[in-house]
Amino acid sequence: MEKKLIKGHQHIRYERPDLSEDELIKNSLAFYKEMASRRTVREFDSRSVPLEVMENIIRTAGTAPSGAHKQPWTFCLISDPEIKHQIRMAAEEEEKISYSQRMPEEWKADLKPLGTDWEKPFLEEAPYLIVVFKQSYGIENGEKIQHYYVSESVGIACGFLIAAIHQAGLVTVTHTPSPMNFLSKILGRPAHEKPYLLLPVGHPKKTTYVPDIERKELEKIVIKY
């Protein structure tokens, strides 16, 4: 492996295949079509998923770029039925309050086409839950380590995570009960870690329906200069 000192720090040579324009177009279109088939699913089959699959998915999320390469994330992988039950009960308690008191009527009206409510059975039905925590700072050898662009970095990692779940042939739903402090308590996470996202992961039920909705067309999401 070819190495080089740059500004006093070791670097290694990086190479990517030199693809033709046709190959670039083919690859980008194939990945778009694959990701365009991704849907949020709330109905999970009870079939198990190999632990190795889940570990590979999380490894993929861990390849995301981060501020100063601090990798300010922790992924808690949960299969224990009792812990999943505790999370469901706590999440539904917060969701009941949100739907009855916190959420304005406009928000609830916008959610109606998606068929969501305070009940979250998928938190127990899915074989795995992944709870993503963002690290406000790091700790190494008992010393506090500064982290940078934490929310942005963890957000990118979550994008990688969702793409990896889909690519593996599984489904998920992004769940962000608010507040989420109960996750820190149930999972015993330290004070410098804050819950960011909760993802049930598994196979969809054999007969599954999702909302009949459309994504915005390219012309509505891109401005070319």
Side-chain angles (χ1 to χ4, degrees), residues 146-157:
Q146 181 69 44
H147 282 171
Y148 312 94
Y149 300 106
V150 172
S151 292
E152 295 86 346
S153 300
V154 177
I156 294 169

PDB file of all heavy atoms in Angstrom, residues 146-157:
ATOM      1  N   GLN A 146     -13.344  16.474  22.344  1.00  0.00           N
ATOM      2  CA  GLN A 146     -14.244  17.344  21.595  1.00  0.00           C
ATOM      3  C   GLN A 146     -14.755  16.662  20.328  1.00  0.00           C
ATOM      4  O   GLN A 146     -13.987  16.004  19.613  1.00  0.00           O
ATOM      5  CB  GLN A 146     -13.509  18.637  21.202  1.00  0.00           C
ATOM      6  CG  GLN A 146     -14.365  19.637  20.440  1.00  0.00           C
ATOM      7  CD  GLN A 146     -15.435  20.251  21.314  1.00  0.00           C
ATOM      8  OE1 GLN A 146     -15.180  20.623  22.457  1.00  0.00           O
ATOM      9  NE2 GLN A 146     -16.638  20.348  20.783  1.00  0.00           N
ATOM     10  N   HIS A 147     -16.048  16.794  20.059  1.00  0.00           N
ATOM     11  CA  HIS A 147     -16.645  16.345  18.811  1.00  0.00           C
ATOM     12  C   HIS A 147     -17.165  17.543  18.031  1.00  0.00           C
ATOM     13  O   HIS A 147     -17.478  18.585  18.611  1.00  0.00           O
ATOM     14  CB  HIS A 147     -17.799  15.365  19.076  1.00  0.00           C
ATOM     15  CG  HIS A 147     -17.342  13.985  19.429  1.00  0.00           C
ATOM     16  ND1 HIS A 147     -18.183  12.996  19.886  1.00  0.00           N
ATOM     17  CD2 HIS A 147     -16.097  13.418  19.405  1.00  0.00           C
ATOM     18  CE1 HIS A 147     -17.511  11.883  20.098  1.00  0.00           C
ATOM     19  NE2 HIS A 147     -16.229  12.118  19.835  1.00  0.00           N
ATOM     20  N   TYR A 148     -17.276  17.377  16.706  1.00  0.00           N
ATOM     21  CA  TYR A 148     -17.655  18.491  15.831  1.00  0.00           C
ATOM     22  C   TYR A 148     -18.783  18.061  14.896  1.00  0.00           C
ATOM     23  O   TYR A 148     -18.820  16.925  14.430  1.00  0.00           O
ATOM     24  CB  TYR A 148     -16.444  18.941  15.003  1.00  0.00           C
ATOM     25  CG  TYR A 148     -15.186  19.133  15.815  1.00  0.00           C
ATOM     26  CD1 TYR A 148     -14.258  18.093  15.940  1.00  0.00           C
ATOM     27  CD2 TYR A 148     -14.943  20.318  16.489  1.00  0.00           C
ATOM     28  CE1 TYR A 148     -13.116  18.253  16.713  1.00  0.00           C
ATOM     29  CE2 TYR A 148     -13.792  20.485  17.261  1.00  0.00           C
ATOM     30  CZ  TYR A 148     -12.885  19.449  17.366  1.00  0.00           C
ATOM     31  OH  TYR A 148     -11.749  19.601  18.128  1.00  0.00           O
ATOM     32  N   TYR A 149     -19.683  18.993  14.609  1.00  0.00           N
ATOM     33  CA  TYR A 149     -20.785  18.724  13.680  1.00  0.00           C
ATOM     34  C   TYR A 149     -21.472  17.396  14.016  1.00  0.00           C
ATOM     35  O   TYR A 149     -21.675  16.543  13.154  1.00  0.00           O
ATOM     36  CB  TYR A 149     -20.281  18.713  12.235  1.00  0.00           C
ATOM     37  CG  TYR A 149     -19.664  20.016  11.796  1.00  0.00           C
ATOM     38  CD1 TYR A 149     -18.276  20.139  11.654  1.00  0.00           C
ATOM     39  CD2 TYR A 149     -20.457  21.130  11.536  1.00  0.00           C
ATOM     40  CE1 TYR A 149     -17.708  21.333  11.265  1.00  0.00           C
ATOM     41  CE2 TYR A 149     -19.899  22.337  11.143  1.00  0.00           C
ATOM     42  CZ  TYR A 149     -18.520  22.439  11.002  1.00  0.00           C
ATOM     43  OH  TYR A 149     -17.956  23.628  10.617  1.00  0.00           O
ATOM     44  N   VAL A 150     -21.838  17.259  15.275  1.00  0.00           N
ATOM     45  CA  VAL A 150     -22.356  15.976  15.748  1.00  0.00           C
ATOM     46  C   VAL A 150     -23.676  15.605  15.074  1.00  0.00           C
ATOM     47  O   VAL A 150     -23.816  14.490  14.538  1.00  0.00           O
ATOM     48  CB  VAL A 150     -22.518  15.998  17.284  1.00  0.00           C
ATOM     49  CG1 VAL A 150     -23.232  14.743  17.771  1.00  0.00           C
ATOM     50  CG2 VAL A 150     -21.147  16.124  17.957  1.00  0.00           C
ATOM     51  N   SER A 151     -24.650  16.506  15.099  1.00  0.00           N
ATOM     52  CA  SER A 151     -25.956  16.176  14.512  1.00  0.00           C
ATOM     53  C   SER A 151     -25.851  15.899  13.023  1.00  0.00           C
ATOM     54  O   SER A 151     -26.484  14.962  12.504  1.00  0.00           O
ATOM     55  CB  SER A 151     -26.953  17.313  14.767  1.00  0.00           C
ATOM     56  OG  SER A 151     -27.267  17.404  16.144  1.00  0.00           O
ATOM     57  N   GLU A 152     -25.040  16.709  12.331  1.00  0.00           N
ATOM     58  CA  GLU A 152     -24.865  16.492  10.894  1.00  0.00           C
ATOM     59  C   GLU A 152     -24.217  15.133  10.625  1.00  0.00           C
ATOM     60  O   GLU A 152     -24.646  14.385   9.737  1.00  0.00           O
ATOM     61  CB  GLU A 152     -24.005  17.603  10.288  1.00  0.00           C
ATOM     62  CG  GLU A 152     -24.632  18.991  10.334  1.00  0.00           C
ATOM     63  CD  GLU A 152     -24.371  19.746  11.628  1.00  0.00           C
ATOM     64  OE1 GLU A 152     -23.925  19.118  12.618  1.00  0.00           O
ATOM     65  OE2 GLU A 152     -24.635  20.957  11.662  1.00  0.00           O
ATOM     66  N   SER A 153     -23.191  14.805  11.397  1.00  0.00           N
ATOM     67  CA  SER A 153     -22.474  13.544  11.198  1.00  0.00           C
ATOM     68  C   SER A 153     -23.382  12.345  11.457  1.00  0.00           C
ATOM     69  O   SER A 153     -23.416  11.381  10.672  1.00  0.00           O
ATOM     70  CB  SER A 153     -21.254  13.480  12.113  1.00  0.00           C
ATOM     71  OG  SER A 153     -20.354  14.536  11.852  1.00  0.00           O
ATOM     72  N   VAL A 154     -24.126  12.386  12.550  1.00  0.00           N
ATOM     73  CA  VAL A 154     -25.007  11.275  12.887  1.00  0.00           C
ATOM     74  C   VAL A 154     -26.157  11.173  11.886  1.00  0.00           C
ATOM     75  O   VAL A 154     -26.584  10.068  11.535  1.00  0.00           O
ATOM     76  CB  VAL A 154     -25.522  11.407  14.330  1.00  0.00           C
ATOM     77  CG1 VAL A 154     -26.500  10.282  14.665  1.00  0.00           C
ATOM     78  CG2 VAL A 154     -24.357  11.395  15.309  1.00  0.00           C
ATOM     79  N   GLY A 155     -26.638  12.317  11.402  1.00  0.00           N
ATOM     80  CA  GLY A 155     -27.680  12.291  10.381  1.00  0.00           C
ATOM     81  C   GLY A 155     -27.216  11.588   9.116  1.00  0.00           C
ATOM     82  O   GLY A 155     -27.964  10.794   8.517  1.00  0.00           O
ATOM     83  N   ILE A 156     -25.986  11.853   8.705  1.00  0.00           N
ATOM     84  CA  ILE A 156     -25.438  11.189   7.510  1.00  0.00           C
ATOM     85  C   ILE A 156     -25.319   9.691   7.761  1.00  0.00           C
ATOM     86  O   ILE A 156     -25.675   8.871   6.909  1.00  0.00           O
ATOM     87  CB  ILE A 156     -24.072  11.794   7.144  1.00  0.00           C
ATOM     88  CG1 ILE A 156     -24.228  13.262   6.713  1.00  0.00           C
ATOM     89  CG2 ILE A 156     -23.421  10.990   6.011  1.00  0.00           C
ATOM     90  CD1 ILE A 156     -22.919  14.008   6.595  1.00  0.00           C
ATOM     91  N   ALA A 157     -24.832   9.318   8.945  1.00  0.00           N
ATOM     92  CA  ALA A 157     -24.704   7.897   9.281  1.00  0.00           C
ATOM     93  C   ALA A 157     -26.056   7.196   9.258  1.00  0.00           C
ATOM     94  O   ALA A 157     -26.160   6.035   8.831  1.00  0.00           O
ATOM     95  CB  ALA A 157     -24.035   7.743  10.647  1.00  0.00           C
TER      96      ALA A 157
END
